[in-house]
Amino acid sequence: MSGIERDDVIRIAARGDGVTASGRHVPRSAPGDWVDGDGVLYHGPHHQAPPCQHYGRCGGCQLQHVDDAAQSNYLVSRVETALAAQGLAARDIRTPHLSPPASRRRAALKAQRLGGALILGYNEASSHRLVDLKSCPVLCPEIARLLAPLRALLRILMKPRSTMASLQLTLVDQGVDIVITGVEALGLEAHDAIIDFCQQGIARLAFDYGDGPEDRWVPEPATITMSGVPVAFPYGGFLQATADGEAQLIAAVREALGGPALVADLFCGIGTFALALSQHAKVHAYEAARASIIAMQQASNRALRAIVAEHRDLYRRPLTTAELLPFDAVVLDPPRAGAEAQVRELAASAVPVIAYVSCNPASFARDAAILVAGGYTLDWVKPIGQFRWSTHMELAARFFHHR
């Protein structure tokens, strides 16, 4: 041996590498592992055997080698580190929720025809090459069982040496909704292959040739039920990655807000929170994606829910402090970039309580600093590990203000 005789792995960095006490980054190591002076890694109590045969090549997961305790600690650390970078700390970071294996209800796959072979899967880590996916332990069974049939269908539809195709799969009420981009499904052979394939629990199949999805199989309208209300599912509509993760986020938002009479739901999507909150409150919902806000408004009207929906780009035109004045509470669930312009209006507002849902600890912490500077207190944060064995995460947080 040479150099350091023992260098213990003490934490997991943001991208999934283990970090030793000396600051060394060690791929696929877990807290409790250690490295000797020759760079040999020895496993500790939090290291587990990865459950997927593709782990190490596939870019979809980074943490299959760590146990649940280590992943939970990692999620808490992500939040603490992001807040500390802004000079903040939450009064309470709660025990994370981890979605179980085989629960992911949406997937984005790619396919490529190379001679007689059809490769279907995810990109390799840090590469444009594809991993030919034989199985995936994070996918729900309804999607996972379609891997082989999809490969057979695409072998017929895609020409040899054809360009890369993209597939978006989402589990909806009627089965699996699929949009395929980059494939020309023309001719009798393609028609027959599509009909045969769609007998296997396919809710809707569409092909996008560059001008938007065109339906090829829609036996009945595709819907996703949100808080007991079926909502027409738009192509490309946003849906939380797992049903249990969605339930955890809804519960956290409800707890954060208490019992408000009038709520603003900002970046409402297809109504994940608006429809849940409208069971006991009046909700004004705002969303820039026209198809999503129309689907939510139509669904809430049919269910006689007290929701007023507005198509509005909150990046270009955030709700002003004057517009926020009537609300007892605000929910916001922005994209990864956060909601800086909207948060600045909120920071100057009189809204008593805010529930902030985020998929990016860094942009969340930046926005949290703006709210705290405006007089809000960051009460608690609930990390949600919907993306099992991945460095991606969600969180819900409560801010309150006594004016």
Side-chain angles (χ1 to χ4, degrees):
M1 291 187 184
S2 62
I4 299 173
E5 291 298 315
R6 176 173 178 136
D7 199 3
D8 290 277
V9 178
I10 58 174
R11 64 182 180 88
I12 303 172
R15 295 186 179 182
D17 288 349
V19 182
T20 68
S22 70
R24 185 178 183 178
H25 283 242
V26 183
R28 293 196 289 280
S29 64
D33 292 354
W34 61 281
V35 181
D36 69 16
D38 295 319
V40 177
L41 177 67
Y42 295 85
H43 295 167
H46 295 294
H47 203 113
Q48 68 176 18
C52 180
Q53 62 180 307
H54 303 295
Y55 187 61
R57 287 185 59 233
C58 179
C61 294
Q62 299 82 32
L63 299 174
Q64 286 191 12
H65 63 281
V66 308
D67 65 9
D68 286 1
Q71 184 164 6
S72 291
N73 290 337
Y74 165 75
L75 296 180
V76 171
S77 176
R78 288 282 310 276
V79 176
E80 289 176 336
T81 302
L83 290 174
Q86 298 290 338
L88 301 177
R91 299 187 349 173
D92 178 27
I93 299 180
R94 297 180 170 180
T95 301
H97 170 81
L98 298 180
S99 291
S103 63
R104 184 87 60 83
R105 58 182 177 176
R106 55 183 174 87
L109 304 176
K110 292 184 179 179
Q112 188 174 26
R113 180 80 182 269
L114 296 175
L118 191 290
I119 301 173
L120 174 68
Y122 303 115
N123 283 105
E124 291 185 11
S126 304
S127 172
H128 293 296
R129 293 190 300 270
L130 295 184
V131 173
D132 196 20
L133 206 61
K134 304 304 181 186
S135 62
C136 180
V138 301
L139 292 179
C140 67
E142 294 88 343
I143 293 178
R145 67 178 177 77
L146 291 177
L147 292 175
L150 266 173
R151 189 176 280 105
L153 172 65
L154 292 169
R155 190 175 289 114
I156 294 171
L157 300 184
M158 295 181 71
K159 298 176 181 178
R161 301 286 177 182
S162 60
T163 57
M164 196 83 71
S166 299
L167 298 88
Q168 187 172 11
L169 294 85
T170 308
L171 181 63
V172 296
D173 295 336
Q174 295 76 19
V176 180
D177 179 46
I178 304 175
V179 179
I180 301 177
T181 304
V183 175
E184 289 190 358
L186 307 175
L188 182 59
E189 183 184 21
H191 171 79
D192 291 344
I194 289 169
I195 296 299
D196 290 343
F197 169 75
C198 288
Q199 307 305 309
Q200 305 174 72
I202 306 304
R204 180 173 63 184
L205 176 62
F207 290 84
D208 190 338
Y209 302 110
D211 296 319
E214 297 180 11
D215 294 332
R216 292 294 295 269
W217 173 267
V218 194
E220 58 181 304
T223 61
I224 186 74
T225 297
M226 318 287 288
S227 298
V229 179
V231 181
F233 187 68
Y235 292 116
F238 177 77
L239 188 66
Q240 294 294 341
T242 65
D244 66 283
E246 176 182 277
Q248 288 282 324
L249 289 169
I250 289 172
V253 166
R254 280 177 163 156
E255 180 188 350
L257 299 189
L262 183 61
V263 182
D265 184 1
L266 312 181
F267 308 94
C268 69
I270 59 174
T272 302
F273 303 112
L275 289 166
L277 295 170
S278 67
Q279 294 171 317
H280 304 290
K282 185 174 182 179
V283 179
H284 285 235
Y286 303 85
E287 170 60 44
R290 186 180 296 275
S292 295
I293 196 72
I294 290 173
M296 193 270 291
Q297 180 69 86
Q298 292 175 342
S300 67
N301 288 346
R302 287 192 296 269
L304 303 179
R305 294 291 179 89
I307 298 177
V308 176
E310 181 178 331
H311 176 235
R312 181 162 173 170
D313 185 340
L314 296 171
Y315 283 108
R316 298 186 179 205
R317 198 160 59 93
L319 263 66
T320 64
T321 53
E323 290 175 299
L324 290 164
L325 190 60
F327 294 106
D328 304 308
V330 164
V331 182
L332 70 160
D333 181 12
R336 287 189 61 81
E340 184 174 357
Q342 183 60 76
V343 165
R344 291 194 181 281
E345 295 291 338
L346 281 165
S349 78
V351 176
V353 64
I354 298 169
Y356 193 135
V357 177
S358 173
C359 62
N360 184 351
S363 61
F364 163 74
R366 179 205 64 207
D367 289 351
I370 296 169
L371 290 172
V372 170
Y376 282 88
T377 297
L378 174 54
D379 190 1
W380 50 258
V381 179
K382 173 72 173 181
I384 309 290
Q386 287 195 85
F387 299 91
R388 183 75 178 201
W389 299 312
S390 165
T391 56
H392 296 295
M393 65 175 294
E394 300 269 343
L395 62 85
R398 180 178 187 269
F399 295 85
F400 67 89
H401 202 320
H402 299 293
R403 292 190 187 275

